Amino acid sequence: MLKGFKDFIFRGNVIELAIAVVIGTAFTALVGAFTNNIVNPVLAAAGGADAGQGLGFPIWENNPATFVNFGNVITALITFLITAAVVYFIFVAPMNKVSEIMKRRLATEEPEEEPIPVDTALLVEIRDLLREATALAPRSAGTHAGLPEQKL
């Protein structure tokens, strides 16, 4: 278990994760600024001129802590959708495309021949030398040292 963690640390994934967190934090700040400064005022205006607190309603009139704010929920939803869309179109879709291209490229490449083991290569060489020697040697009357002739 510790070996797996050590491999994970030294593989470089931690650095990639750290970069992702920094980029994610910066992007969240950007989307937050957009929703707070553009979306929230539009939603507050939809709540009416006298609402003052945005799109929603108070449960008790004289207690502002009981205000049910639909505007903040809608803002959070819009923030989530914008973040998810940007992550998908900037990171996920291009990586899927690269992966698809790599799969196609690997599928079209001819597989490399596996190297012949040394012992098999030596046996093939011996076989070929025996064939040559048999082909060059004069044939006797059907026997070699008392054995019948065999084809290799």
Side-chain angles (χ1 to χ4, degrees):
M1 185 170 180
L2 290 176
K3 182 185 181 312
F5 179 72
K6 185 180 99 175
D7 292 345
F8 170 75
I9 293 291
F10 289 118
R11 226 184 346 211
N13 290 350
V14 172
I15 294 171
E16 293 170 6
L17 288 172
I19 291 170
V21 167
V22 169
I23 290 173
T25 303
F27 182 71
T28 300
L30 175 69
V31 172
F34 172 77
T35 55
N36 288 335
N37 297 311
I38 295 175
V39 174
N40 280 351
V42 171
L43 291 175
D50 60 343
Q53 294 180 351
L55 181 62
F57 63 91
I59 295 175
W60 290 311
E61 280 300 318
N62 295 332
N63 190 350
T66 63
F67 187 77
V68 178
N69 195 341
F70 294 117
N72 282 347
V73 174
I74 294 171
T75 299
L77 178 65
I78 291 171
T79 302
F80 171 76
L81 291 175
I82 290 172
T83 304
V86 168
V87 166
Y88 178 78
F89 289 112
I90 290 182
F91 297 107
V92 175
M95 288 305 294
N96 287 344
K97 189 67 171 176
V98 168
S99 176
E100 181 181 315
I101 290 170
M102 293 302 291
K103 283 180 185 175
R104 267 192 261 139
R105 184 173 290 165
L106 290 174
T108 58
E109 291 179 0
E110 293 182 19
E112 294 181 16
E113 283 187 31
E114 293 184 27
I116 298 173
V118 176
D119 57 346
T120 306
L122 288 173
L123 289 171
V124 168
E125 187 176 338
I126 292 169
R127 180 200 63 199
D128 293 343
L129 288 172
L130 286 172
R131 277 188 185 159
E132 288 178 23
T134 306
L136 295 176
R139 302 232 178 224
S140 60
T143 61
H144 254 320
L147 299 173
E149 186 175 289
Q150 296 179 356
K151 290 189 178 182
L152 295 178

